[in-house]
Amino acid sequence: MTITPALLHVLLLHDLRRPTPAPPPSLARMPQSPRLRGEADHPLGVDLMAAVPSSLEPMKLGSGYHTPWWATAAKWGLLAIAGLFAAYVIQKLISSGSWLGVVITAFIAMCFLAVYGTRRAVPMKYLLPGLVLLVTLQIWPIVYTVATAFTNYGQGHTLSKQDATDRNLANSVKEVEGTERYKLSIAVPEGTDVATGEITFLLTKPDGSMFVGTSKGLEPLAADGIEKTDTGKITKAPGYTILNAREANKRSKDLNAFAVPVNANAGIKSVGISSAFEGAPTLKYDAAADTVTDTVKNVVYSPKNAYWTAPDGQTLATGWKENVGTKNFSDLLTNETIRSGFFKIFLWNVAFAALSVMSTFILGMLLALLFNDPKLKGKGFYRSMLILPYAIPGFVTALVWASMFNQEFGLINSLTHLNIDWLGNPWAAKAAILITNLWLGFPYMFLVCTGALQSIPGDVKEAAKIDGAGPLRTLRSITMPLLLVAVGPLLIASFAFNFNNFSLIYLLTQGGPFAADNTSIGSTDLLITYAFRLAFAGASPNIGLASAVCIFIFFIVAAMSYSGFRRTKSLEEVN
């Protein structure tokens, strides 16, 4: 009889359904090989997993696994430490009045507790620290820079309007004629932090009477437990902690804004940290009319350009921060002085970045080609020597080259017997910067090109040689295209780095030399050094305008980099 596949299938099914006969008594006592759980007992069954121990069975998450007690204790201990740190930060933020910071800190603390305090959200346990650092160190600075670019934030414009008004009124306080001065001790209530506690004046009149001055007013001070110097200055008072000179100086900002009210028009102000006087402000603020009046000169100041401004154009010393819209951007494009300097710096900035990339790449590539020759001996030693400029910190090299370019005592003029004012002449200073950057940058290009050249297959060059291509044709048609495939994106990154090469310019020339009629724009300034000078180093720092320059830099570099990466796609066809 012929057994067809269909017939075999029927026989197998019949055999599986048939009950297994009991083994003979002699065999029943013999040890049976264990079978898989659920394995059908039939003659055709094969017990392949009999020797696999049960301990290797798949373990379901959450069943049969217990976290060691020390790991749980360590986890909750770290969470407790993080919570205490967050509470400390929140307390400091509350004392400074930064409620946005309080909300952000509390939200981050809650996220850490929700993620690490439970067994859920396992991927987020790895992502959360990186996300927090990304927002803190990258996204928030970008958002803050953009927001600042639309304000007048800078010297004289750092406070809110109310704070600026209070500062002007406090600075206008004059000593009332005929009043006596007090001996002053600055204190805080006992048990409070000397850095954040409420300022309290312990005052002694020339007749020996003592008073306690707070923001609520002036009250007599009992003599019990008081200790004073011979001059009448209080050195110890029950219920108060007296600040020493260092602690008082740290709270100078609070002291300048603090006064003990005596009546509706006068208060007691400190003079240094040892004396105080009764004074009255000469300025009066009218909230309804939004004006400030000088009661002595009878001049009314109105808000104009973020200053309290008199009709004749005179302003009070302290202004305030306010939104100015796109004024900073329009100044960069329309203000003749700023615009001419901005475009002059921009042209040099592009030329500096492009020439730096080209010069370092060409020199590094030529050296890499030279030391890639298999016939050359001692290549390892030469390569080690060539990367030394890259190993030395850049700021050290910049300072060394600055001394070498000194006109009178520098090594460059001494060796060449020239008398070039390298750092004083605009064109010579630019040449000095390019030479220094060539020295700093070519080892990097040398390393990159060496690695790229060693990755080029040798049979490609052999094929070109067989086809009759000479060394120059092989370099132009074979080596360079394959080399640019690897180093093309790195050249774009190097351009972006040199476009914002702040440290080299600042350490070598500080943006100079400067023209006699314009000390804000130097001949070797990059946009980034120009923004730094606007924000911090100028005669009138303007952080808002500097932020607008930074936004221009971002879009310029982004546009150039995007165009460069688009062009590098054509190199992919080489492979």
Side-chain angles (χ1 to χ4, degrees):
M1 180 181 64
T2 304
I3 300 178
T4 64
L7 179 59
L8 179 63
H9 181 66
V10 172
L11 293 174
L12 288 174
L13 288 177
H14 176 71
D15 190 44
L16 288 172
R17 293 172 181 174
R18 185 176 60 189
T20 304
S26 60
L27 295 178
R29 292 190 296 269
M30 294 181 63
Q32 301 292 323
S33 61
R35 296 181 183 275
L36 279 174
R37 297 179 184 88
E39 180 73 23
D41 294 326
H42 55 85
L44 297 179
V46 180
D47 198 357
L48 297 179
M49 299 295 292
V52 178
S54 60
S55 61
L56 294 181
E57 294 180 358
M59 182 183 298
K60 293 183 179 180
L61 194 62
S63 62
Y65 178 78
H66 300 283
T67 304
W69 67 267
W70 56 266
T72 303
K75 180 185 74 172
W76 286 105
L78 291 174
L79 287 175
I81 293 174
L84 292 175
F85 178 74
Y88 173 78
V89 173
I90 288 174
Q91 180 185 4
K92 292 293 185 181
L93 292 172
I94 291 175
S95 62
S96 64
S98 179
W99 296 105
L100 178 61
V102 171
V103 173
I104 294 175
T105 305
F107 176 75
I108 293 176
M110 291 175 61
C111 289
F112 271 87
L113 180 61
V115 170
Y116 294 103
T118 64
R119 293 187 177 183
R120 300 180 179 180
V122 174
M124 187 55 65
K125 297 180 190 296
Y126 299 93
L127 294 176
L128 184 59
L131 290 175
V132 172
L133 293 176
L134 175 66
V135 172
T136 304
L137 302 179
Q138 292 290 336
I139 297 178
W140 169 245
I142 293 173
V143 172
Y144 186 77
T145 300
V146 173
T148 304
F150 293 92
T151 67
N152 65 340
Y153 186 54
Q155 184 178 21
H157 299 281
T158 59
L159 304 175
S160 65
K161 184 178 181 180
Q162 184 61 48
D163 291 340
T165 302
D166 294 340
R167 177 70 62 83
N168 285 315
L169 266 60
N171 291 336
S172 71
V173 172
K174 303 296 182 183
E175 188 170 0
V176 178
E177 295 184 4
T179 59
E180 299 175 319
R181 289 208 171 190
Y182 299 85
K183 289 295 181 180
L184 170 65
S185 294
I186 303 170
V188 296
E190 191 173 15
T192 61
D193 189 357
V194 296
T196 58
E198 181 183 2
I199 292 290
T200 303
F201 283 176
L202 303 181
L203 304 165
T204 304
K205 274 190 172 184
D207 60 5
S209 58
M210 295 176 292
F211 300 88
V212 176
T214 64
S215 58
K216 298 179 181 178
L218 195 65
E219 297 179 356
L221 178 63
D224 296 339
I226 298 296
E227 296 181 6
K228 298 189 295 183
T229 64
D230 295 338
T231 60
K233 181 179 175 65
I234 298 174
T235 57
K236 183 179 180 181
Y240 299 97
T241 301
I242 298 177
L243 277 61
N244 57 37
R246 179 178 297 177
E247 294 168 341
N249 287 330
K250 288 183 178 179
R251 302 201 62 180
S252 59
K253 182 178 179 181
D254 297 332
L255 290 173
N256 291 333
F258 179 76
V260 179
V262 177
N263 52 52
N265 298 317
I268 297 176
K269 292 280 294 180
S270 63
V271 181
I273 60 174
S274 298
S275 62
F277 65 89
E278 182 177 333
T282 60
L283 297 177
K284 183 178 180 181
Y285 176 62
D286 187 348
D290 195 23
T291 58
V292 172
T293 303
D294 189 332
T295 57
V296 175
K297 300 178 180 178
N298 197 24
V299 177
V300 178
Y301 294 84
S302 302
K304 183 180 180 181
N305 297 329
Y307 276 112
W308 290 112
T309 308
D312 60 355
Q314 294 292 325
T315 63
L316 298 181
T318 305
W320 57 87
K321 177 183 174 182
E322 67 178 8
N323 188 3
V324 296
T326 59
K327 180 179 182 301
N328 292 323
F329 298 93
S330 62
D331 285 345
L332 289 174
L333 300 175
T334 60
N335 185 291
E336 184 60 31
T337 302
I338 298 178
R339 182 180 63 180
S340 60
F342 180 84
F343 282 106
K344 174 184 175 183
I345 294 173
F346 171 72
L347 293 176
W348 157 242
N349 205 153
V350 174
F352 165 73
L355 291 173
S356 294
V357 173
M358 291 174 58
S359 60
T360 55
F361 173 68
I362 292 174
L363 180 58
M365 181 193 66
L366 292 177
L367 291 173
L369 288 171
L370 174 63
F371 292 107
N372 197 49
D373 190 344
K375 299 179 182 179
L376 184 64
K377 304 297 182 181
K379 291 184 291 185
F381 173 76
Y382 296 132
R383 286 170 176 169
S384 301
M385 296 300 295
L386 286 175
I387 65 173
L388 284 179
Y390 188 60
I392 299 174
F395 75 92
V396 174
T397 305
L399 293 175
V400 170
W401 276 92
S403 63
M404 291 170 60
F405 281 118
N406 185 278
Q407 182 179 6
E408 297 181 2
F409 310 105
L411 182 64
I412 304 297
N413 282 349
S414 298
L415 291 178
T416 59
H417 301 287
L418 299 174
N419 190 30
I420 300 175
D421 187 6
W422 290 100
L423 304 180
N425 181 274
W427 290 102
K430 293 176 181 178
I433 288 174
L434 291 173
I435 293 172
T436 305
N437 207 30
L438 175 61
W439 173 262
L440 287 169
F442 86 86
Y444 170 74
M445 293 298 178
F446 168 71
L447 290 175
V448 170
C449 292
T450 298
L453 288 173
Q454 292 179 352
S455 66
I456 297 176
D459 54 357
V460 177
K461 297 181 180 179
E462 290 294 334
K465 185 176 181 181
I466 293 173
D467 289 340
L472 293 178
R473 181 60 185 273
T474 303
L475 176 65
R476 181 174 62 88
S477 301
I478 303 297
T479 305
M480 284 301 298
L482 294 174
L483 182 65
L484 290 176
V485 171
V487 304
L490 298 178
L491 295 178
I492 298 173
S494 179
F495 179 88
F497 170 79
N498 283 289
F499 200 89
N500 293 315
N501 198 340
F502 172 84
S503 58
L504 175 65
I505 302 298
Y506 191 78
L507 293 173
L508 197 62
T509 64
Q510 295 186 352
F514 297 92
D517 57 344
N518 189 353
T519 59
S520 62
I521 298 175
S523 300
T524 59
D525 260 329
L526 303 182
L527 290 176
I528 190 65
T529 58
Y530 177 57
F532 175 81
R533 187 175 297 108
L534 287 175
F536 304 108
S540 180
N542 191 336
I543 299 177
L545 184 61
S547 300
V549 174
C550 291
I551 293 176
F552 271 108
I553 294 173
F554 171 79
F555 281 108
I556 291 170
V557 175
M560 292 182 175
S561 299
Y562 176 76
S563 176
F565 280 117
R566 286 289 301 270
R567 292 179 181 274
T568 56
K569 287 186 176 181
S570 60
L571 297 174
E572 297 178 1
E573 300 177 358
V574 175
N575 287 330

PDB file of all heavy atoms in Angstrom, residues 421-444:
ATOM      1  N   ASP A 421      54.214  96.879  12.526  1.00  0.00           N
ATOM      2  CA  ASP A 421      53.333  97.007  13.696  1.00  0.00           C
ATOM      3  C   ASP A 421      52.186  96.004  13.539  1.00  0.00           C
ATOM      4  O   ASP A 421      51.091  96.333  13.092  1.00  0.00           O
ATOM      5  CB  ASP A 421      52.799  98.441  13.790  1.00  0.00           C
ATOM      6  CG  ASP A 421      52.024  98.679  15.078  1.00  0.00           C
ATOM      7  OD1 ASP A 421      52.000  97.764  15.930  1.00  0.00           O
ATOM      8  OD2 ASP A 421      51.429  99.759  15.238  1.00  0.00           O
ATOM      9  N   TRP A 422      52.476  94.759  13.895  1.00  0.00           N
ATOM     10  CA  TRP A 422      51.545  93.677  13.631  1.00  0.00           C
ATOM     11  C   TRP A 422      50.184  93.888  14.289  1.00  0.00           C
ATOM     12  O   TRP A 422      49.151  93.587  13.686  1.00  0.00           O
ATOM     13  CB  TRP A 422      52.138  92.345  14.103  1.00  0.00           C
ATOM     14  CG  TRP A 422      53.276  91.864  13.275  1.00  0.00           C
ATOM     15  CD1 TRP A 422      54.608  91.968  13.569  1.00  0.00           C
ATOM     16  CD2 TRP A 422      53.196  91.203  12.013  1.00  0.00           C
ATOM     17  NE1 TRP A 422      55.367  91.408  12.573  1.00  0.00           N
ATOM     18  CE2 TRP A 422      54.517  90.927  11.595  1.00  0.00           C
ATOM     19  CE3 TRP A 422      52.142  90.816  11.194  1.00  0.00           C
ATOM     20  CZ2 TRP A 422      54.814  90.287  10.402  1.00  0.00           C
ATOM     21  CZ3 TRP A 422      52.416  90.164  10.004  1.00  0.00           C
ATOM     22  CH2 TRP A 422      53.743  89.908   9.603  1.00  0.00           C
ATOM     23  N   LEU A 423      50.164  94.377  15.494  1.00  0.00           N
ATOM     24  CA  LEU A 423      48.912  94.513  16.234  1.00  0.00           C
ATOM     25  C   LEU A 423      48.372  95.932  16.221  1.00  0.00           C
ATOM     26  O   LEU A 423      47.298  96.184  16.799  1.00  0.00           O
ATOM     27  CB  LEU A 423      49.116  94.048  17.685  1.00  0.00           C
ATOM     28  CG  LEU A 423      49.651  92.619  17.848  1.00  0.00           C
ATOM     29  CD1 LEU A 423      49.801  92.280  19.319  1.00  0.00           C
ATOM     30  CD2 LEU A 423      48.743  91.615  17.147  1.00  0.00           C
ATOM     31  N   GLY A 424      49.062  96.854  15.575  1.00  0.00           N
ATOM     32  CA  GLY A 424      48.608  98.233  15.523  1.00  0.00           C
ATOM     33  C   GLY A 424      48.106  98.672  14.170  1.00  0.00           C
ATOM     34  O   GLY A 424      47.347  99.637  14.067  1.00  0.00           O
ATOM     35  N   ASN A 425      48.513  97.974  13.129  1.00  0.00           N
ATOM     36  CA  ASN A 425      48.061  98.277  11.780  1.00  0.00           C
ATOM     37  C   ASN A 425      46.889  97.358  11.430  1.00  0.00           C
ATOM     38  O   ASN A 425      46.960  96.146  11.656  1.00  0.00           O
ATOM     39  CB  ASN A 425      49.206  98.062  10.785  1.00  0.00           C
ATOM     40  CG  ASN A 425      48.802  98.388   9.360  1.00  0.00           C
ATOM     41  OD1 ASN A 425      48.246  97.532   8.661  1.00  0.00           O
ATOM     42  ND2 ASN A 425      49.089  99.595   8.919  1.00  0.00           N
ATOM     43  N   PRO A 426      45.789  97.886  10.878  1.00  0.00           N
ATOM     44  CA  PRO A 426      44.600  97.042  10.624  1.00  0.00           C
ATOM     45  C   PRO A 426      44.889  95.826   9.750  1.00  0.00           C
ATOM     46  O   PRO A 426      44.488  94.707  10.087  1.00  0.00           O
ATOM     47  CB  PRO A 426      43.628  98.013   9.945  1.00  0.00           C
ATOM     48  CG  PRO A 426      44.023  99.362  10.446  1.00  0.00           C
ATOM     49  CD  PRO A 426      45.518  99.309  10.591  1.00  0.00           C
ATOM     50  N   TRP A 427      45.593  96.014   8.621  1.00  0.00           N
ATOM     51  CA  TRP A 427      45.830  94.885   7.724  1.00  0.00           C
ATOM     52  C   TRP A 427      46.864  93.926   8.303  1.00  0.00           C
ATOM     53  O   TRP A 427      46.759  92.700   8.135  1.00  0.00           O
ATOM     54  CB  TRP A 427      46.281  95.390   6.358  1.00  0.00           C
ATOM     55  CG  TRP A 427      45.184  96.080   5.616  1.00  0.00           C
ATOM     56  CD1 TRP A 427      45.010  97.424   5.464  1.00  0.00           C
ATOM     57  CD2 TRP A 427      44.081  95.452   4.955  1.00  0.00           C
ATOM     58  NE1 TRP A 427      43.882  97.686   4.742  1.00  0.00           N
ATOM     59  CE2 TRP A 427      43.279  96.499   4.412  1.00  0.00           C
ATOM     60  CE3 TRP A 427      43.694  94.138   4.761  1.00  0.00           C
ATOM     61  CZ2 TRP A 427      42.116  96.243   3.698  1.00  0.00           C
ATOM     62  CZ3 TRP A 427      42.529  93.881   4.047  1.00  0.00           C
ATOM     63  CH2 TRP A 427      41.757  94.922   3.523  1.00  0.00           C
ATOM     64  N   ALA A 428      47.871  94.468   8.980  1.00  0.00           N
ATOM     65  CA  ALA A 428      48.866  93.596   9.606  1.00  0.00           C
ATOM     66  C   ALA A 428      48.237  92.776  10.731  1.00  0.00           C
ATOM     67  O   ALA A 428      48.580  91.602  10.928  1.00  0.00           O
ATOM     68  CB  ALA A 428      50.025  94.429  10.145  1.00  0.00           C
ATOM     69  N   ALA A 429      47.316  93.379  11.468  1.00  0.00           N
ATOM     70  CA  ALA A 429      46.637  92.650  12.543  1.00  0.00           C
ATOM     71  C   ALA A 429      45.800  91.500  11.981  1.00  0.00           C
ATOM     72  O   ALA A 429      45.759  90.404  12.549  1.00  0.00           O
ATOM     73  CB  ALA A 429      45.761  93.610  13.350  1.00  0.00           C
ATOM     74  N   LYS A 430      45.140  91.735  10.844  1.00  0.00           N
ATOM     75  CA  LYS A 430      44.366  90.660  10.215  1.00  0.00           C
ATOM     76  C   LYS A 430      45.286  89.535   9.740  1.00  0.00           C
ATOM     77  O   LYS A 430      44.963  88.348   9.884  1.00  0.00           O
ATOM     78  CB  LYS A 430      43.563  91.225   9.050  1.00  0.00           C
ATOM     79  CG  LYS A 430      42.457  92.182   9.490  1.00  0.00           C
ATOM     80  CD  LYS A 430      41.746  92.808   8.295  1.00  0.00           C
ATOM     81  CE  LYS A 430      40.659  93.771   8.787  1.00  0.00           C
ATOM     82  NZ  LYS A 430      39.952  94.448   7.670  1.00  0.00           N
ATOM     83  N   ALA A 431      46.428  89.906   9.178  1.00  0.00           N
ATOM     84  CA  ALA A 431      47.384  88.882   8.751  1.00  0.00           C
ATOM     85  C   ALA A 431      47.910  88.096   9.955  1.00  0.00           C
ATOM     86  O   ALA A 431      48.069  86.866   9.894  1.00  0.00           O
ATOM     87  CB  ALA A 431      48.537  89.527   7.995  1.00  0.00           C
ATOM     88  N   ALA A 432      48.167  88.791  11.063  1.00  0.00           N
ATOM     89  CA  ALA A 432      48.647  88.109  12.271  1.00  0.00           C
ATOM     90  C   ALA A 432      47.618  87.113  12.789  1.00  0.00           C
ATOM     91  O   ALA A 432      47.955  86.008  13.220  1.00  0.00           O
ATOM     92  CB  ALA A 432      48.979  89.142  13.344  1.00  0.00           C
ATOM     93  N   ILE A 433      46.360  87.480  12.729  1.00  0.00           N
ATOM     94  CA  ILE A 433      45.291  86.582  13.189  1.00  0.00           C
ATOM     95  C   ILE A 433      45.208  85.349  12.302  1.00  0.00           C
ATOM     96  O   ILE A 433      45.083  84.213  12.792  1.00  0.00           O
ATOM     97  CB  ILE A 433      43.949  87.337  13.217  1.00  0.00           C
ATOM     98  CG1 ILE A 433      43.943  88.341  14.366  1.00  0.00           C
ATOM     99  CG2 ILE A 433      42.785  86.370  13.351  1.00  0.00           C
ATOM    100  CD1 ILE A 433      42.737  89.229  14.390  1.00  0.00           C
ATOM    101  N   LEU A 434      45.301  85.540  10.982  1.00  0.00           N
ATOM    102  CA  LEU A 434      45.231  84.391  10.066  1.00  0.00           C
ATOM    103  C   LEU A 434      46.434  83.472  10.242  1.00  0.00           C
ATOM    104  O   LEU A 434      46.296  82.237  10.176  1.00  0.00           O
ATOM    105  CB  LEU A 434      45.145  84.883   8.625  1.00  0.00           C
ATOM    106  CG  LEU A 434      43.832  85.587   8.234  1.00  0.00           C
ATOM    107  CD1 LEU A 434      43.935  86.172   6.835  1.00  0.00           C
ATOM    108  CD2 LEU A 434      42.657  84.616   8.317  1.00  0.00           C
ATOM    109  N   ILE A 435      47.610  84.035  10.477  1.00  0.00           N
ATOM    110  CA  ILE A 435      48.802  83.208  10.690  1.00  0.00           C
ATOM    111  C   ILE A 435      48.658  82.401  11.981  1.00  0.00           C
ATOM    112  O   ILE A 435      48.949  81.192  12.018  1.00  0.00           O
ATOM    113  CB  ILE A 435      50.061  84.089  10.729  1.00  0.00           C
ATOM    114  CG1 ILE A 435      50.318  84.715   9.351  1.00  0.00           C
ATOM    115  CG2 ILE A 435      51.272  83.283  11.182  1.00  0.00           C
ATOM    116  CD1 ILE A 435      51.425  85.755   9.346  1.00  0.00           C
ATOM    117  N   THR A 436      48.213  83.058  13.029  1.00  0.00           N
ATOM    118  CA  THR A 436      48.036  82.358  14.309  1.00  0.00           C
ATOM    119  C   THR A 436      46.988  81.263  14.197  1.00  0.00           C
ATOM    120  O   THR A 436      47.170  80.153  14.711  1.00  0.00           O
ATOM    121  CB  THR A 436      47.635  83.355  15.401  1.00  0.00           C
ATOM    122  OG1 THR A 436      48.599  84.409  15.478  1.00  0.00           O
ATOM    123  CG2 THR A 436      47.539  82.668  16.749  1.00  0.00           C
ATOM    124  N   ASN A 437      45.893  81.551  13.520  1.00  0.00           N
ATOM    125  CA  ASN A 437      44.843  80.543  13.385  1.00  0.00           C
ATOM    126  C   ASN A 437      45.288  79.390  12.484  1.00  0.00           C
ATOM    127  O   ASN A 437      44.847  78.251  12.670  1.00  0.00           O
ATOM    128  CB  ASN A 437      43.573  81.175  12.819  1.00  0.00           C
ATOM    129  CG  ASN A 437      42.329  80.431  13.236  1.00  0.00           C
ATOM    130  OD1 ASN A 437      42.278  79.827  14.318  1.00  0.00           O
ATOM    131  ND2 ASN A 437      41.306  80.446  12.408  1.00  0.00           N
ATOM    132  N   LEU A 438      46.162  79.676  11.526  1.00  0.00           N
ATOM    133  CA  LEU A 438      46.720  78.598  10.700  1.00  0.00           C
ATOM    134  C   LEU A 438      47.533  77.646  11.567  1.00  0.00           C
ATOM    135  O   LEU A 438      47.435  76.418  11.429  1.00  0.00           O
ATOM    136  CB  LEU A 438      47.581  79.189   9.586  1.00  0.00           C
ATOM    137  CG  LEU A 438      48.329  78.194   8.694  1.00  0.00           C
ATOM    138  CD1 LEU A 438      47.350  77.285   7.961  1.00  0.00           C
ATOM    139  CD2 LEU A 438      49.238  78.932   7.711  1.00  0.00           C
ATOM    140  N   TRP A 439      48.327  78.205  12.449  1.00  0.00           N
ATOM    141  CA  TRP A 439      49.132  77.382  13.355  1.00  0.00           C
ATOM    142  C   TRP A 439      48.238  76.544  14.275  1.00  0.00           C
ATOM    143  O   TRP A 439      48.529  75.381  14.564  1.00  0.00           O
ATOM    144  CB  TRP A 439      50.054  78.272  14.168  1.00  0.00           C
ATOM    145  CG  TRP A 439      50.814  77.556  15.244  1.00  0.00           C
ATOM    146  CD1 TRP A 439      50.509  77.483  16.563  1.00  0.00           C
ATOM    147  CD2 TRP A 439      52.026  76.815  15.076  1.00  0.00           C
ATOM    148  NE1 TRP A 439      51.437  76.739  17.236  1.00  0.00           N
ATOM    149  CE2 TRP A 439      52.387  76.313  16.342  1.00  0.00           C
ATOM    150  CE3 TRP A 439      52.831  76.519  13.979  1.00  0.00           C
ATOM    151  CZ2 TRP A 439      53.520  75.538  16.551  1.00  0.00           C
ATOM    152  CZ3 TRP A 439      53.964  75.737  14.193  1.00  0.00           C
ATOM    153  CH2 TRP A 439      54.299  75.266  15.457  1.00  0.00           C
ATOM    154  N   LEU A 440      47.139  77.136  14.731  1.00  0.00           N
ATOM    155  CA  LEU A 440      46.238  76.430  15.640  1.00  0.00           C
ATOM    156  C   LEU A 440      45.383  75.383  14.931  1.00  0.00           C
ATOM    157  O   LEU A 440      45.030  74.355  15.529  1.00  0.00           O
ATOM    158  CB  LEU A 440      45.313  77.432  16.345  1.00  0.00           C
ATOM    159  CG  LEU A 440      45.925  78.304  17.429  1.00  0.00           C
ATOM    160  CD1 LEU A 440      44.962  79.408  17.822  1.00  0.00           C
ATOM    161  CD2 LEU A 440      46.265  77.460  18.651  1.00  0.00           C
ATOM    162  N   GLY A 441      45.047  75.611  13.642  1.00  0.00           N
ATOM    163  CA  GLY A 441      44.056  74.776  12.985  1.00  0.00           C
ATOM    164  C   GLY A 441      44.577  73.687  12.085  1.00  0.00           C
ATOM    165  O   GLY A 441      43.869  72.701  11.853  1.00  0.00           O
ATOM    166  N   PHE A 442      45.801  73.817  11.572  1.00  0.00           N
ATOM    167  CA  PHE A 442      46.236  72.821  10.590  1.00  0.00           C
ATOM    168  C   PHE A 442      46.425  71.428  11.197  1.00  0.00           C
ATOM    169  O   PHE A 442      46.223  70.423  10.496  1.00  0.00           O
ATOM    170  CB  PHE A 442      47.520  73.285   9.877  1.00  0.00           C
ATOM    171  CG  PHE A 442      48.800  72.947  10.589  1.00  0.00           C
ATOM    172  CD1 PHE A 442      49.413  71.710  10.400  1.00  0.00           C
ATOM    173  CD2 PHE A 442      49.404  73.853  11.445  1.00  0.00           C
ATOM    174  CE1 PHE A 442      50.602  71.392  11.048  1.00  0.00           C
ATOM    175  CE2 PHE A 442      50.578  73.536  12.098  1.00  0.00           C
ATOM    176  CZ  PHE A 442      51.177  72.309  11.906  1.00  0.00           C
ATOM    177  N   PRO A 443      46.813  71.262  12.482  1.00  0.00           N
ATOM    178  CA  PRO A 443      46.938  69.884  13.008  1.00  0.00           C
ATOM    179  C   PRO A 443      45.611  69.134  12.988  1.00  0.00           C
ATOM    180  O   PRO A 443      45.596  67.918  12.735  1.00  0.00           O
ATOM    181  CB  PRO A 443      47.441  70.092  14.442  1.00  0.00           C
ATOM    182  CG  PRO A 443      48.101  71.421  14.431  1.00  0.00           C
ATOM    183  CD  PRO A 443      47.302  72.243  13.479  1.00  0.00           C
ATOM    184  N   TYR A 444      44.511  69.816  13.236  1.00  0.00           N
ATOM    185  CA  TYR A 444      43.207  69.150  13.183  1.00  0.00           C
ATOM    186  C   TYR A 444      42.913  68.651  11.777  1.00  0.00           C
ATOM    187  O   TYR A 444      42.488  67.498  11.584  1.00  0.00           O
ATOM    188  CB  TYR A 444      42.129  70.127  13.655  1.00  0.00           C
ATOM    189  CG  TYR A 444      40.720  69.636  13.430  1.00  0.00           C
ATOM    190  CD1 TYR A 444      40.178  68.642  14.231  1.00  0.00           C
ATOM    191  CD2 TYR A 444      39.937  70.186  12.425  1.00  0.00           C
ATOM    192  CE1 TYR A 444      38.889  68.183  14.016  1.00  0.00           C
ATOM    193  CE2 TYR A 444      38.645  69.744  12.208  1.00  0.00           C
ATOM    194  CZ  TYR A 444      38.124  68.748  13.011  1.00  0.00           C
ATOM    195  OH  TYR A 444      36.849  68.308  12.792  1.00  0.00           O
TER     196      TYR A 444
END
